[in-house]
Amino acid sequence: MANTAFYIAKRYLIAKKGSTAVTFITWLSAFAMMTAVASMFIIISVFAGLEDLNREMIANLHADLTISGQVEKKLKDPEAVAKILKQQPEIQHSSKVIEEKVYVNNGGIGEIAYLRAVDSAYTFVNPIDKNIFFGKYPDFQYSNEVILENGLDNRLQIPVGENSSPALLYMPKPGTGIITTEDDIFTKKEIYVTGVFPGNDQLNNYVISPLELGQELLNLPKDAAYKIVIKLKNPDDADDLKEKLKTKLGKDYTVKTKAEENAAFWKMINTEKLMIYLIFALVIFITTFNLAGAIIILQLDKKEQAKSLISLGLSLRKLRNTYFYTGVLIVVFGIISGLIIGTAICYFQMSTDFFKAGIELPFPVRIKALNYLIVTAVALLFGLTVSWFFSKINREYILTK
């Protein structure tokens, strides 16, 4: 019979065993494999959900493309750049930006912050005005109306609204010579906070103001900018347009995509993902020692039957395949049942948000076909390897008493 080895292995798995210990060890190994597979699938599905959540959170922090100076902070000729950008049909909106460190003081309470000065078109590139939860976005009628990151506003205790008292922004002056007064060190401007936006890892300690305020603090001309940020009609065109703009703008400018601006962040995310995969691959590898134990116990328990099968003409290769197929069936059962359980728990979380990462933040979950492939591949790799290695029983062992 061509499938004799598989048939015997199947009977070993589903029929009553001669020993309770064999039954217990076999199903323990199957349960352990099922648990490890389900756990790995759930964790990497949660990680995929967290990855999507992070992508959404930083989606508006960087534009599709960002143009900056190759050597100097200040763009060499912003107006010439703007003319080139107007000729590109792929571009939907663009905005000038100046970004520098400043010192903010309110009634003796001070802190170093980041000033991001933007023009009126900035919200078309980064709709930060939609994130304001208290107050309003500046109407750009006055250059000293700003919005603050929530944590910065709380620490400095700056009142928000039309009737609020002003705070002071200090920008260090470049230059040399003898310092006699405070005005020789800093350029000062009064600011009025019109709104507050929530912070995150990318926008902590930020003050967002009209572009004119940044130009005044830095004593720059009216057309000056440090960066030009761009929103595309189709973000997928970013890499192609980047190469085109690099050719048109020349060596004085640097063009970066959103992925390049976020390179450090995504490197960290990918490193964490790799560590998660390695940890759970190790968990599955350790789990396969139960499988090895089940195969060894089965060989000991079925030694007399093995002698009979060899006497009846069953080849040693087919006898080894019997133990190998037993291990394979245990692994396949663990994979299928583990994936079913893992999928059910993931769909339960997606439907109910039962498990919480915080008071109001449920664990995000995303089920992808790649998750099934990764878990199955890892479990099969270790399961089949262990099954093959421990199925290599020799003839002398079988025939000895």
Side-chain angles (χ1 to χ4, degrees):
M1 184 185 296
N3 296 321
T4 301
F6 182 78
Y7 176 79
I8 296 173
K10 184 174 66 173
R11 298 299 300 171
Y12 281 167
L13 189 65
I14 64 176
K16 287 186 177 182
K17 310 294 188 300
S19 169
T20 305
V22 176
T23 304
F24 177 77
I25 293 295
T26 300
W27 288 105
L28 177 63
S29 63
F31 177 77
M33 180 62 71
M34 176 187 72
T35 304
V37 167
S39 300
M40 184 175 184
F41 180 81
I42 292 168
I43 291 298
I44 67 174
S45 295
V46 169
F47 199 92
L50 289 171
E51 193 173 4
D52 287 346
L53 180 63
N54 285 323
R55 186 176 284 108
E56 291 174 8
M57 289 176 65
I58 69 168
N60 294 323
L61 297 179
H62 295 287
D64 295 323
L65 288 174
T66 301
I67 299 173
S68 56
Q70 180 72 32
V71 179
E72 298 181 1
K73 281 187 176 181
K74 188 176 71 171
L75 291 176
K76 185 176 180 180
D77 191 348
E79 293 305 314
V81 175
K83 288 180 182 178
I84 292 174
L85 297 182
K86 286 180 180 178
Q87 299 170 2
Q88 312 307 315
E90 302 94 335
I91 295 176
Q92 188 171 8
H93 296 289
S94 64
S95 172
K96 294 179 180 178
V97 176
I98 292 174
E99 194 163 311
E100 273 288 3
K101 283 185 177 181
V102 292
Y103 180 75
V104 189
N105 185 282
N106 179 50
I109 303 174
E111 190 165 333
I112 295 174
Y114 296 92
L115 174 70
R116 180 175 290 180
V118 300
D119 62 21
S120 57
Y122 183 70
T123 52
F124 294 110
V125 179
N126 178 356
I128 195 168
D129 54 324
K130 296 179 181 178
N131 295 332
I132 293 175
F133 62 86
F134 185 72
K136 65 175 185 176
Y137 190 74
D139 55 16
F140 284 77
Q141 185 176 355
Y142 304 102
S143 65
N144 61 349
E145 291 184 339
V146 305
I147 57 174
L148 259 66
E149 184 266 326
N150 181 46
L152 180 63
D153 182 68
N154 288 339
R155 291 190 297 274
L156 295 177
Q157 301 176 19
I158 302 177
V160 179
E162 295 179 358
N163 299 321
S164 62
S165 57
L168 286 173
L169 277 188
Y170 292 80
M171 179 71 72
K173 288 182 178 179
T176 59
I178 298 174
I179 298 172
T180 57
T181 65
E182 186 182 82
D183 292 337
D184 295 329
I185 308 173
F186 299 104
T187 300
K188 293 188 294 185
K189 290 290 181 181
E190 290 186 342
I191 57 169
Y192 293 86
V193 179
T194 65
V196 178
F197 62 91
N200 52 49
D201 290 341
Q202 303 280 330
L203 281 179
N204 281 341
N205 279 28
Y206 263 82
V207 179
I208 296 180
S209 76
L211 186 66
E212 289 80 4
L213 180 62
Q215 292 168 341
E216 291 168 5
L217 286 168
L218 292 163
N219 195 27
L220 296 174
K222 290 293 184 182
D223 65 342
Y226 282 5
K227 298 177 182 179
I228 294 180
V229 292
I230 299 169
K231 182 177 179 61
L232 301 180
K233 295 176 183 177
N234 182 5
D236 294 335
D237 294 334
D239 289 322
D240 292 337
L241 184 58
K242 171 191 168 181
E243 297 304 319
K244 187 192 299 186
L245 289 176
K246 283 173 66 177
T247 302
K248 289 180 177 292
L249 294 173
K251 62 181 180 180
D252 293 324
Y253 301 93
T254 298
V255 185
K256 289 186 178 181
T257 63
K258 183 184 293 186
E260 291 169 334
E261 289 283 302
N262 288 309
F265 175 80
W266 289 116
K267 184 178 180 180
M268 178 189 69
I269 292 293
N270 290 330
T271 301
E272 291 177 354
K273 183 194 296 186
L274 177 61
M275 293 306 298
I276 289 291
Y277 288 173
L278 291 177
I279 289 169
F280 275 88
L282 179 61
V283 169
I284 290 180
F285 174 70
I286 294 172
T287 300
T288 56
F289 284 102
N290 289 300
L291 178 62
I295 294 174
I296 292 171
I297 294 295
L298 183 63
Q299 290 171 354
L300 291 172
D301 187 68
K302 302 298 182 182
K303 186 174 181 180
E304 293 302 319
Q305 291 185 14
K307 285 182 181 180
S308 301
L309 290 172
I310 290 291
S311 300
L312 292 171
L314 187 72
S315 67
L316 182 61
R317 183 177 63 84
K318 287 190 176 181
L319 182 61
R320 288 174 174 173
N321 286 343
T322 298
Y323 300 126
F324 173 70
Y325 289 148
T326 302
V328 170
L329 289 172
I330 293 173
V331 171
V332 170
F333 171 81
I335 292 173
I336 294 174
S337 56
L339 290 177
I340 291 173
I341 292 172
T343 302
I345 293 174
C346 288
Y347 273 112
F348 172 76
Q349 174 65 8
M350 292 165 65
S351 302
T352 64
D353 292 334
F354 182 79
F355 300 101
K356 304 286 186 181
I359 297 176
E360 296 182 356
L361 179 64
F363 278 107
V365 175
R366 183 187 176 198
I367 297 176
K368 301 190 297 184
L370 183 61
N371 296 355
Y372 290 98
L373 293 175
I374 291 172
V375 175
T376 301
V378 171
L380 283 176
L381 173 64
F382 292 126
L384 297 184
T385 301
V386 168
S387 298
W388 176 83
F389 183 81
F390 285 93
S391 67
K392 295 301 177 182
I393 191 171
N394 60 60
R395 185 180 294 271
E396 289 75 16
Y397 169 77
I398 298 170
L399 297 179
T400 55
K401 293 184 180 181

